[in-house]
Amino acid sequence: MSQVQSAAKQVDAVVVGAGFAGMYGIQRLREKGLKVQGFEAGHSVGGTWYWNRYPGARVDSQAYIYQYWFSDELIKEWDWSERFPAQPETEKYLNHVADKFEIRKDFQFETKVEAAKWDDGAKRWTVTTDKGDVVSAQFLLMSTGGLSAPLVPPFKHHEKFKGQIIHTGRWPKEGVDFAGKKVGVIGTGATGIQVVQTIAPQVGQLTVYQRTANYTIPMRNPKYDDADRAGLKAGAKAMHKRVNSTFAGFDYDWQATDLMAMNPEAREAQLNEWFADGSLGFWIGSIQGVLMDESINAVFSDFVKRKIRARVHDPKVADLLVPDDHGFGTRRVPLETKYYEAFNQPNVKLVSVKKTPIVEFTERGIRTTEGEQELDIVIFATGFDAGTGALTRVDVRGEGGQSLRDDWNQHGIHTTMGLQVHGYPNMFMTMAPYSPAAAFCNVPTCLQQQVDWIADCVDYVRKTGKQAIQPGAEIENNWLAHHDEVANLTLVPKTNSWYMGSNVEGKPRRLLAYAGGAQNYRAVCDDLKAKQYQGFEIA
Ligand code: NA7
């Protein structure tokens, strides 16, 4: 053991991040008898649902599939208020879980992990934090979130602006008063859309800076009554089984409908029926051809464009809000509520930064090629360095002192099923690239599956008296080849978005999420476990 390690606090596993996955990681690893130490930068649990407290933040998955399955008692006692709960409710749920299962006692909050270094001799990780902690652990679980490293584009003279600048992913706990204010929102992804539709009725004046128009689906969000809740709770077991068996971890799945064989009226009626569900079911619960076949995709794209256009009064504004450079569903499809109606308000202005780019920030606001707009507050809804950002912002050093950041920069991002990386023994990840969890999944479904697999793998290593496990180079290369093959069967790589890493300058362009289906991914993971991690190096 090195000197650093002997002086360090000794645990079996360090868990980084107290979001959905990290909390469950603590729970599962404890059950396996491990002594765990969690670290979380926020001052409480929640992860995404702690940081993203911007106005309008809300899940796009139905409440009763956006939860933990490990405790029947928890399912029975927790009452969701509506189909798509807002951020405070999900945060409250996660706090309730943390209290009930005493998750907090194993977490140190307001503490950022700065570095994690693998010791080849001791076969342990040394984890250091910004608070001076040094912890030695056999296993490291990086449950750092797939959408948790905020991106702030380098706008010229950003620092000159005298007003307030806020990134949605770092929203102030005390809230923001918009009354009478001139507000600018940059970005119109799932987040920007939620912000705009929520603050449009509150602000003095709103200017929305849009680069790419997105396809959307109107959210249908009924409140649940006691009878709804009782029914959903009674069906929880079946629902759990169902979400584990579908392509994207939702309760809906691809249908066998032959849309293209229908006459135009029947086709329109079918599309309307899917659309009316008011969920992502129109996208990933319709037909798989929407993601695979250009002509089917064009039918969906045309349908949604017509729906958008019909809601916007000014045809020139509608022209800007209708996507013109990609097909439906090839980037994340946000659910919206009265988003388009916001642009019918006289105090809301849409600026296409494709047509009139942002030149610079000024003391008073933002200057585009069209002129200066005075602003009191600028909201950056500019997204995240998805999949990798939270991992590479920590100085992770694997075998031989290899830096994960440099490794991925030099050799491209590589993982085995988003669970481990060759060269980084005993480091496990959730929501990392090349698993469905990275994007194509109802996140809690895939996170729980990943954490279960990780806990079993760790348990296997311990029970067999071994010290370390990592994927071999061959299995990793095979997974990447399979990942690429499946990705290229879809239309997604044709479009730029965080799915492809193209929102981050210099990031290698490759589909972040495994597109072969969450249920198939689960089967591959189960098979690996059954075959005692064949293809992995266990020492
Ligand atoms: P997204 O989906 O990455 O959206 C970010 C938005 O910010 C998007 O409209 C971007 O335009 C825009 N953006 C980014 N940089 C710039 C610059 N420099 N200038 C103008 N506009 C810019 O992030 P979200 O937070 O909305 O959503 C992330 C996920 O969280 C979401 O998919 C859900 O899964 C939950 P672009 O489209 O790149 O042209």
Side-chain angles (χ1 to χ4, degrees), residues 147 153 155 186-192 211-212 331-332 353 381-384 498 503:
L147 294 157
F155 291 112
I186 305 179
T188 54
T191 301
R211 191 163 63 185
T212 307
R331 356 166 77 209
R332 167 70 149 76
V353 300
T382 42
F384 303 90
W498 66 262
N503 63 331

Side-chain angles (χ1 to χ4, degrees), residues 325-327 330-331 491-497 499-500 502 509:
D325 58 0
H326 64 283
T330 57
R331 356 166 77 209
L491 303 171
V492 180
K494 296 189 179 203
T495 299
N496 281 337
S497 78
Y499 280 2
M500 296 304 299
S502 53
R509 197 175 188 287

Side-chain angles (χ1 to χ4, degrees), residues 383-462:
F384 303 90
D385 181 354
T388 54
L391 294 163
T392 54
R393 287 179 190 189
V394 175
D395 184 15
V396 176
R397 306 262 166 177
E399 285 179 326
Q402 171 71 56
S403 145
L404 182 68
R405 195 182 305 148
D406 294 348
D407 183 359
W408 281 354
N409 274 339
Q410 285 158 15
H411 306 116
I413 302 159
H414 57 99
T415 79
T416 298
M417 303 161 71
L419 288 165
Q420 280 207 281
V421 185
H422 175 63
Y424 303 80
N426 288 0
M427 181 180 84
F428 296 89
M429 307 167 297
T430 52
M431 268 188 103
Y434 318 139
S435 75
F440 296 152
C441 194
N442 168 45
V443 172
T445 306
C446 284
L447 288 183
Q448 289 173 87
Q449 179 263 332
Q450 290 196 310
V451 171
D452 286 339
W453 188 92
I454 291 165
D456 287 344
C457 178
V458 163
D459 194 44
Y460 174 84
V461 173
R462 281 160 56 92

Side-chain angles (χ1 to χ4, degrees), residues 235-258:
K237 279 218 157 55
M239 182 68 93
H240 183 196
K241 216 170 150 193
R242 170 91 184 129
V243 298
N244 283 348
S245 69
T246 59
F247 177 87
F250 284 83
D251 49 338
Y252 35 72
D253 206 355
W254 300 123
Q255 300 184 27
T257 315
D258 189 352

Side-chain angles (χ1 to χ4, degrees), residues 9 22 52 66 78 141 153 221 241 308 320 339 390 392 420 484:
K9 176 180 175 183
N52 288 269
Y66 204 87
W78 185 262
L141 173 57
N221 191 18
K241 216 170 150 193
I308 295 172
L320 297 178
Y339 174 62
T392 54
Q420 280 207 281
D484 287 344

